[in-house]
Amino acid sequence: MLQAENVATEEWNISADKITRYEDPQSVVAEGNIILEKREKLPPPPPPTEAEKGMTDWSELLGEEPAQKKEVKAEQIDAAPAATMKTTVTIKADWMVYDTTLQSIKARGNVEINTGEDVLTADQASLDLTKETGTFTNASVVRSNKSLHLEGKTIEKTGVNTYNIGDGWAITCKVEKGETPPWSFASKDTKIEPGGYAVLKHARFNVKGVPIFYTPYLILPVKNTRQTGLLFPEFSSSSNNGFGLNLPFFWNISDSADMTFYPQYYTDRGFMPGLEFRYAQGDMEKGAIVGTWLDDELSDPSETGYYQDTGFTHTNSDRYWIRGKADHTFGDDWQTRLDLDIVSDRDYLTEFNTGVNGYNKTADRFLDEYGRDFENKRAETRDNTLKVMKSWSGMTLEGTLLGVNDVRAVETDPTPLWKLPSFDFTGFRTIGESDFSYDWESGYVNYWREDGVGGHRFDLHPSISAPVPLGQYLESRAEVGVRETFYLVNTYGDGEWTNDDQQNRLLADFEWEVGTTVLKNFFADASQNSGFDHQVHPYVQYQFLPDVDQDELPIFDEVDAIEDVNRVVYGVDNFFNLFDNYASGNATLQDYAYVKLSQYYDLRDDYAGDSSSDVLGLSDLSAASNDIISADSDGRFSDIFLRTGWTPTNYLAVEYQTDIDAYGDGFVAHSFEGTYRTKRGDHFSLDYSFSDDSSIEQINGLARTHLINNWFTSIDVEHSLSNDETQEATVSLTYQALCWSMSLESNYTPEDTAFMVVFNLANIGGRLGLGN
């Protein structure tokens, strides 16, 4: 085995199995296992900051003369550590000539140049080490982050990370040497320019080496960051829209702002342009607004077949949807939330619910980015709000501006209420060192509407609560409150009001609860390192609200029509918690399951049945499903309310709710929700709801799973059992390869059936998250 020889200069170091030196010109010929490295001296570390120096010298603090610094001797300087060197470029080859005077090399045989960001391989190479330029034969370039792979018969390195490629191809992912790429952009002349763009002349798009598309000129972004460029198109076909094409263009305005243009066209409807603007300066400093518009060729009374098939009622051809959200924090932690949702007609979101700008994907995208989406796509009134909120020391102040987009099929009076503005101030305080506490809810709102009754409302609801000592094993607390509401009524448009313009209402309320909690720990073994506990909380409540005449008050919302209450509520709550390492004192708890059972007995003299289970905090079932008993019944017992949930693992969660008639008529309402996820990302969910009184029975299901190899599927179904109708069904099938993916999606609604094809290539034109 040959021992490697070595030649070093101040900047370059070369090692090989054999090295021969020449004087005229000064050069080195190396053979076998050649490694040529460029080394750079790292700068010395910066001097320590004042904080790094530590505290002031003791002599200075004591007013003494500081200690004299010792003189550094010559031998100590010689013994100082050598400067730190860093290798920035590594060149390997089987044979190489290194001209030390001209700082150039010629190499052949397994040539490899690694600059840290790019790895270039070639059969032969000629390279200027000073300018870092050169030419290469049968070469390839791979970016270290695997976002770009280039190959060509000749590659000219024109700068640090810039190239000219002759008779070659490019792909934005890793391809093994000699392997045919799954797709590529090929051309006779390709330039990789500063900023990460590839400029191709006479470009061809190849699939497995077979050309399927030609363009005389093409610019591609070829780095894995946000940058201006075309996004991949969406192809669609719909029974109402005809064939559709959307070719988005992304504009990277700055590191904190971007814009996307959506020139979409439907053969049966016309041109439907869209625009999205986004900005972000932090997690709580961001916003986005999207607008789409269509001069609809189908929205014409003469298109009778279209209206008969769909059941749509709009007649306007000028159709649009403007939506957006913004989050900001300013001043002393004042939080602002802006929500825009303006649509031209009630049918728009039902019709255009697929694609990148359809309702479904738009709502999902905003829910992921902002934690809130939009009103249901079938809603006929859509809220637009600006909220400002501040919380401090147990108090919260919130101001709201509310505008309503009214898209009802028949715009009857009164029109929807706007809040211009409203303020809510709530808080909680303890009274001195006592056990007494008080809280309050207060609000002001100015209700405006185009036609109808509005006005100003002031509402104040303070209350005081305190524990009631009943014994060592009983928990008891009583709360008494008073509510004063004042109205200054106005009329707008054709609205009429026959009572006095000034109204007020005074209410008192009282609540008393008595309960206890029993806790038992169950250990899995004697070491008490794992197990679970069971908490049982039985309780009895008395709730009272007097019957006050409210006939002359305007009715704006739930604050204005408060029903009298005189009832006894009783129930039992069960909680099960898993824990580990209990004996060590570092127990970890996990909510495992709960079961809540409750009912109430009505004490009112004129009781004839009601639907006010909201008092129990059980309004998660539909209001209509909470009818306690029929109006002609003499019984005073409410339904029996059962709520239960089970979370055995982090991947499975189940909740079930039901109301059972106390007089033998069976189940009044059901609600079931179940979700299961796997470690590899599969997702399954099912929810079912039933209300006997409202004749509502609905089942929804979602499945997203990995099938085999690179195939994935998603199925999302909303089905009304009461109407025996599928309201919406979406099925997609995706093939995910190493460097590309293709999705086929089908969407069905009673009004339309649509198909969509989405094709993506790795790191080409993809709009990434803002700030990346």
Side-chain angles (χ1 to χ4, degrees), residues 697-766:
E697 191 172 11
Q698 178 85 18
I699 186 168
N700 303 324
L702 171 64
R704 296 174 182 167
T705 184
H706 176 204
L707 295 176
I708 57 174
N709 298 329
N710 298 328
W711 292 92
F712 301 83
T713 188
S714 174
I715 303 173
D716 191 354
V717 179
E718 298 178 10
H719 184 76
S720 172
L721 296 173
S722 55
N723 297 328
D724 192 22
E725 178 183 71
T726 298
Q727 296 171 325
E728 184 171 359
T730 302
V731 180
S732 68
L733 182 65
T734 301
Y735 180 78
Q736 178 67 62
L738 176 65
C739 299
W740 62 279
S741 68
M742 184 175 69
S743 296
L744 304 177
E745 181 178 307
S746 174
N747 179 267
Y748 165 82
T749 64
E751 301 85 8
D752 191 18
T753 301
F755 298 92
M756 180 167 295
V757 179
V758 180
F759 185 65
N760 284 309
L761 304 182
N763 303 319
I764 288 287

Side-chain angles (χ1 to χ4, degrees), residues 151-340:
E151 287 197 14
K153 289 185 178 180
T154 61
I155 292 182
E156 180 185 0
K157 192 174 188 299
T158 57
V160 177
N161 289 309
T162 60
Y163 304 91
N164 289 339
I165 305 172
D167 197 10
W169 52 265
I171 184 173
T172 54
C173 66
K174 183 180 180 182
V175 178
E176 297 298 332
K177 187 173 181 61
E179 178 184 356
T180 301
W183 61 267
S184 63
F185 288 96
S187 72
K188 290 292 183 180
D189 183 12
T190 301
K191 292 184 178 181
I192 308 299
E193 297 185 341
Y197 289 91
V199 180
L200 292 79
K201 295 180 180 179
H202 300 290
R204 306 179 306 277
F205 178 67
N206 297 339
V207 175
K208 284 292 185 179
V210 178
I212 63 172
F213 176 79
Y214 167 82
T215 178
Y217 188 80
L218 181 65
I219 298 178
L220 294 173
V222 289
K223 65 178 183 179
N224 195 20
T225 55
R226 294 168 56 251
Q227 53 194 305
T228 300
L230 289 172
L231 306 183
F232 270 89
E234 284 186 340
F235 302 93
S236 63
S237 178
S238 165
S239 54
N240 289 334
N241 302 337
F243 177 77
L245 173 63
N246 191 358
L247 186 60
F249 178 79
F250 177 73
W251 178 22
N252 182 27
I253 301 174
S254 68
D255 290 341
S256 59
D258 59 44
M259 187 176 292
T260 307
F261 303 88
Y262 297 97
Q264 188 163 6
Y265 179 77
Y266 293 117
T267 55
D268 291 350
R269 290 188 183 272
F271 184 51
M272 186 178 184
L275 180 66
E276 178 175 3
F277 173 74
R278 305 187 307 166
Y279 67 92
Q281 297 175 331
D283 290 339
M284 300 306 296
E285 304 290 330
K286 59 184 179 181
I289 184 169
V290 189
T292 47
W293 174 83
L294 171 68
D295 184 8
D296 194 354
E297 297 176 5
L298 276 183
S299 296
D300 189 291
S302 63
E303 299 288 345
T304 56
Y306 161 72
Y307 287 103
Q308 290 174 355
D309 293 340
T310 62
F312 292 143
T313 58
H314 72 275
T315 57
N316 54 295
S317 61
D318 188 15
R319 310 185 69 188
Y320 54 85
W321 185 27
I322 301 171
R323 61 277 194 194
K325 297 186 184 298
D327 293 348
H328 279 273
T329 302
F330 65 94
D332 188 16
D333 291 332
W334 286 87
Q335 308 289 329
T336 61
R337 299 289 184 270
L338 174 67
D339 292 87
L340 295 177

